[in-house]
Amino acid sequence: MNANDALERMKQGNERFRAGRAEGVVIDGPSHEELKQGQQPFAILLSCSDSRVPPEILFDTGLGDLFVIRVAGNVANLSSIASIEYAVLHLGSKLIVVMAHESCGAVGAAIAGGDAGKHLNRLLSHIQPALDPPDKDDSVIARRNAKVSAERMINESDILRSAVENDGVKIVTAFFHFSNGEVQFD
Ligand SMILES: [Zn+2]
């Protein structure tokens, strides 16, 4: 599935979720056999670990549909970039979505600053570039942070940069609204 078709499928899934028409996950004999053969996820998603933003539910997807990397603040760190590289190289996914969300705790912690401990400090350092210029609306910072992650994929990964330039892979940023369940794509 090409990147545009994958994006359309995600939008339609989110519409079903919002309308209360989600189809959910169905396990039956044939699909069970297919799943054992391998995976061909139609999209890759980098999203926050926040319990309120489970991608498979927000996009009404089933087993094998989405290759999901979840990390607080949807940061593009070594492990998340490596995971995305794997999916691009070996699973053939053409769409990479970086999804930020309202009221993100990691973004809030980055805005607050201070010492959060060795490991959290390191994670929050990935969000730092999104804090400039300052904004009192944390959603503005969260959206900017999604773009920072997308740019880092291109700048730090030869594999992903080449996939975007030569192989039809697209990186898209998005933002999830709690108020109406909408995932807004940039
Ligand atoms: Zn979050």
Side-chain angles (χ1 to χ4, degrees):
M1 188 182 293
N2 70 38
N4 290 336
D5 290 346
L7 186 58
E8 189 54 37
R9 187 166 164 185
M10 294 190 83
K11 288 177 178 174
Q12 288 175 2
N14 182 238
E15 275 178 26
R16 288 195 302 277
F17 165 74
R18 293 174 63 197
R21 290 187 287 102
E23 293 161 5
V25 178
V26 180
I27 300 277
D28 57 29
S31 69
H32 176 74
E33 284 306 313
E34 275 175 36
L35 290 171
K36 281 202 301 189
Q37 301 301 320
Q39 57 170 326
Q40 288 183 301
F42 72 85
I44 301 163
L45 202 89
L46 174 60
S47 73
C48 186
S49 301
D50 193 301
S51 62
R52 300 165 294 178
V53 297
E56 291 87 348
I57 293 176
L58 302 184
F59 294 105
D60 187 27
T61 52
L63 304 185
D65 284 340
L66 293 181
F67 189 91
V68 178
I69 300 98
R70 296 184 72 174
V71 56
N74 41 268
V75 298
N77 61 16
L78 192 71
S79 296
S80 52
I81 289 177
S83 301
I84 294 166
E85 287 179 347
Y86 171 79
V88 165
L89 284 178
H90 300 289
L91 306 180
S93 310
K94 299 294 187 193
L95 178 66
I96 303 169
V97 175
V98 184
M99 186 175 75
H101 68 97
E102 262 187 303
S103 306
C104 181
V107 167
I111 292 171
D115 185 2
K118 183 172 73 172
H119 298 109
L120 266 177
N121 285 345
R122 191 172 177 83
L123 185 145
L124 296 176
S125 72
H126 289 85
I127 303 177
Q128 285 293 329
L131 301 179
D132 183 28
D135 197 297
K136 58 179 181 292
D137 182 354
D138 65 346
S139 291
V140 171
I141 305 294
R143 285 169 177 270
R144 204 186 286 152
N145 181 51
K147 291 189 169 23
V148 167
S149 291
E151 284 163 13
R152 191 171 274 132
M153 288 175 200
I154 295 294
N155 293 336
E156 298 191 9
S157 168
D158 294 341
I159 289 170
L160 298 183
R161 185 168 58 250
S162 171
V164 168
E165 288 174 357
N166 308 312
D167 203 25
V169 168
K170 272 192 182 178
I171 304 177
V172 177
T173 56
F175 186 78
F176 175 66
H177 297 266
F178 288 128
S179 53
N180 59 4
E182 181 186 12
V183 178
Q184 193 178 3
F185 290 89
D186 295 320

